[in-house]
Amino acid sequence: MADSSRDALRRCQSGLWGLINNAGVTGVLAPTDWLTVEDYREPIEVNLFGLINVTLHMLPLVKKAQGRIVNVSSIGGRLAFSGGGYSPSKYAVEGFNDSLRRDMRAFGVHVACIEPGLFRTGLSDPMKANEKKCTIWNHLSPDIKQQYGEGYIEKSLEKLKRSASFVNLDLSLVVECMDHALTSLFPKTRYTPGKDAQTFWIPLSHMPAVLQDFLLLRQKVQLANPKMV
């Protein structure tokens, strides 16, 4: 047996110290009444079932090493800021993470959750999000188009561009949380990298729904004819 094969076998026998579940897609971010159930499938399949599938396959090795599992959720798992499958998938990740953490405590496995704010990545590109919206808009019924108004997508894009100043640029903040969760003597249960997460999203998630709705609805475009139903 080659040395590299022996090393790999030896590592498997001693277990797996760390697992980070970081895969994620946004899917379509659009008003709920624009969508079909198919629009929800991709983010839920990747963000939730993909994460669960990897975790269940690796769990015996992590238990053997009394290691650590780090699940990357999102502030979208605390507050739903848009329609679509992204937030439902992240809310579900939070629930899976909590049950896993409690189930694994007796085995000496520490489970942490990272809830990043808005970071500038390919997932947060407003132009890509707008392209997906436009594709769906072109297939909407005339009634829904009248309700939202012909300029709705353009106004939404302007809102997104104006909020770009709140997007975090330093991705190392997330990496540092991963490193701490895997290597620290006293890892945290939750991490919230990003100034927007720490100063706005997470505090807002603990506030009354009426205040959440008031602040988040201010970021939405006013509909042209919402009573034309």
Side-chain angles (χ1 to χ4, degrees), residues 53-75:
N53 188 36
V54 171
T55 301
L56 294 181
H57 277 83
M58 296 294 106
L59 205 50
L61 291 174
V62 179
K63 287 169 65 177
K64 182 179 289 188
Q66 293 189 315
R68 298 179 181 183
I69 299 174
V70 182
N71 294 315
V72 180
S73 177
S74 165
I75 49 89

Side-chain angles (χ1 to χ4, degrees), residues 47-48 51-52 71-80 86-102 111-117 189-193 197 202 205-206:
N47 301 349
L48 176 61
L51 180 148
I52 292 174
N71 294 315
V72 180
S73 177
S74 165
I75 49 89
R78 291 292 197 99
L79 284 170
Y86 181 76
S87 280
S89 73
K90 292 300 186 179
Y91 269 75
V93 165
E94 296 273 349
F96 175 73
N97 182 86
D98 287 350
S99 61
L100 180 67
R101 184 182 68 249
R102 293 168 188 135
V111 179
C113 186
I114 299 179
E115 301 166 324
T189 300
R190 278 188 165 82
Y191 296 82
T192 55
I202 298 301
S205 72
H206 294 289

Side-chain angles (χ1 to χ4, degrees), residues 68 70 110 112 114 176-184 187 191:
R68 298 179 181 183
V70 182
H110 186 274
I114 299 179
E176 287 169 4
C177 291
M178 293 176 178
D179 179 65
H180 189 276
L182 286 180
T183 65
S184 172
Y191 296 82

Side-chain angles (χ1 to χ4, degrees), residues 120-170:
R120 182 168 293 175
T121 66
L123 291 179
S124 62
D125 186 340
M127 297 306 297
K128 289 183 179 178
N130 197 58
E131 288 174 6
K132 293 180 180 178
K133 270 188 179 179
C134 286
T135 300
I136 291 181
W137 174 268
N138 292 333
H139 294 88
L140 292 177
S141 69
D143 288 346
I144 292 182
K145 287 183 177 180
Q146 279 189 323
Q147 292 161 17
Y148 281 83
E150 286 296 331
Y152 180 83
I153 289 184
E154 290 76 12
K155 292 175 183 176
S156 297
L157 183 59
E158 286 303 314
K159 288 260 187 185
L160 281 174
K161 288 180 177 178
R162 285 201 293 270
S163 65
S165 59
F166 298 100
V167 175
N168 300 282
L169 303 179
D170 186 5

